[in-house]
Amino acid sequence: MMRAVPDPFVARRLLRVGDAALARDPIASHGLVHAMRSGAQAAAAIATLLDPAGDDMAARAFIRARHTDATNAAHRSTAQAYADQSRYRGGFWPDTVSTRPAFQAHPTAPPDPTCRVRLLPLRRLPALDGGQIRWRKAIWLARSQRGAVQFGQLGAEYLAQALFPPASVAVQRARLERKIGTSAARALIDDLLSEGALVAEGTSPASQPSSAFARRTSAP
Ligand SMILES: Cc1cc2nc3c(=O)[nH]c(=O)nc-3n(C[C@H](O)[C@H](O)[C@H](O)COP(=O)(O)OP(=O)(O)OC[C@H]3O[C@@H](n4cnc5c(N)ncnc54)[C@H](O)[C@@H]3O)c2cc1C
């Protein structure tokens, strides 16, 4: 069984973490990781909320977005765990296993390598920054349905400048090679392509995969 509250802030001054926010099926074996991660995120949010100069809106938006991420990930991993167990279905054990299909990720089809690609506009999202939550510019990773402000040593804003103007995939790789080397640049460009963050020029953000979650977490 898996149970998640719709909002970890159940009251203005009451924030649920761990199993109280999202109790995962023990079979998925992620409960302890979620308990520790959500506890650390809550500590940063509380530090922000208690600081008179802290950004209350950013802290609450951050906690809600991370809770949605965790809930979506829990649904996927639980479905996968149950599908894996369906291998053991048989005459002796017919009813105790799930027939739910395994979760299938749908990677974005890479654009033609000869066409020019561009990074989609950055989004303003709440992020952990120096022990508190602040609004930061992030690259939206459509396939993973989350924003990222840092890619190793490169920040999202640096990448937005480095990958502009639109250019072929080879040119985009070369732009990053000078900074992080050949293999890291190749891996990062491939990731951005498969995540749907780097798209063929002329592709509008509106035609990219999106969801209610993506709309909710995009900053005002
Ligand atoms: C059978 C089983 C197997 C599991 N196997 C795994 C696994 O293999 N891997 C994995 O990662 N996770 C596993 N889990 C899940 C994991 O144990 C939980 O996700 C994790 O312990 C949650 O941590 P928590 O701090 O949120 O809650 P808990 O660990 O439940 O801690 C809550 C604490 O609050 C206390 N408490 C409750 N009410 C009050 C109150 N009113 N006043 C004061 N104290 C109170 C409780 O006594 C408890 O000590 C399993 C769970 C079960 C049930």
Side-chain angles (χ1 to χ4, degrees), residues 46-96:
I46 290 164
T48 309
L49 291 167
L50 293 179
D51 182 347
D55 189 328
D56 196 285
M57 291 279 286
R60 290 176 191 277
F62 175 83
I63 288 294
R64 289 181 173 125
R66 297 290 78 78
H67 180 67
T68 306
D69 287 350
T71 304
N72 290 342
H75 277 298
R76 289 197 296 269
S77 64
T78 303
Q80 181 67 58
Y82 274 62
D84 288 348
Q85 286 189 68
S86 66
R87 286 176 298 159
Y88 302 109
R89 191 173 346 129
F92 172 71
W93 203 359
D95 299 324
T96 50

Side-chain angles (χ1 to χ4, degrees), residues 17-36 38:
V17 297
D19 277 8
L22 167 63
R24 303 181 63 148
D25 187 327
I27 217 142
S29 284
H30 289 116
L32 292 173
V33 171
H34 175 257
M36 289 188 280
S38 63

Side-chain angles (χ1 to χ4, degrees), residues 163-216:
L163 301 177
F164 187 83
S168 70
V169 170
V171 169
Q172 297 287 32
R173 278 196 195 115
R175 287 170 170 170
L176 297 187
E177 275 172 16
R178 288 191 283 275
K179 185 82 176 172
I180 55 174
T182 308
S183 59
R186 176 175 291 272
L188 181 49
I189 292 291
D190 287 352
D191 265 1
L192 293 174
L193 287 167
S194 71
E195 283 284 359
L198 201 55
V199 298
E201 195 183 20
T203 309
S204 69
S207 63
Q208 287 297 298
S210 72
S211 70
F213 170 64
R215 287 190 290 278
R216 274 206 306 282

Side-chain angles (χ1 to χ4, degrees), residues 57-183:
M57 291 279 286
R60 290 176 191 277
F62 175 83
I63 288 294
R64 289 181 173 125
R66 297 290 78 78
H67 180 67
T68 306
D69 287 350
T71 304
N72 290 342
H75 277 298
R76 289 197 296 269
S77 64
T78 303
Q80 181 67 58
Y82 274 62
D84 288 348
Q85 286 189 68
S86 66
R87 286 176 298 159
Y88 302 109
R89 191 173 346 129
F92 172 71
W93 203 359
D95 299 324
T96 50
V97 290
S98 168
T99 51
R100 274 182 274 179
F103 169 75
Q104 297 287 336
H106 296 288
T108 310
D112 179 339
T114 58
C115 81
R116 284 151 48 100
V117 292
R118 70 179 183 105
L119 195 66
L120 288 176
L122 300 183
R123 293 185 182 197
R124 192 168 157 267
L125 296 174
L128 190 54
D129 180 10
Q132 287 211 7
I133 315 297
R134 297 185 175 87
W135 294 107
R136 298 276 305 274
K137 296 263 181 74
I139 292 175
W140 182 250
L141 306 175
R143 189 181 64 163
S144 300
Q145 291 291 286
R146 65 182 180 88
V149 295
Q150 198 69 29
F151 297 78
Q153 55 172 291
L154 307 183
E157 291 188 81
Y158 174 88
L159 281 169
Q161 284 174 10
L163 301 177
F164 187 83
S168 70
V169 170
V171 169
Q172 297 287 32
R173 278 196 195 115
R175 287 170 170 170
L176 297 187
E177 275 172 16
R178 288 191 283 275
K179 185 82 176 172
I180 55 174
T182 308
S183 59

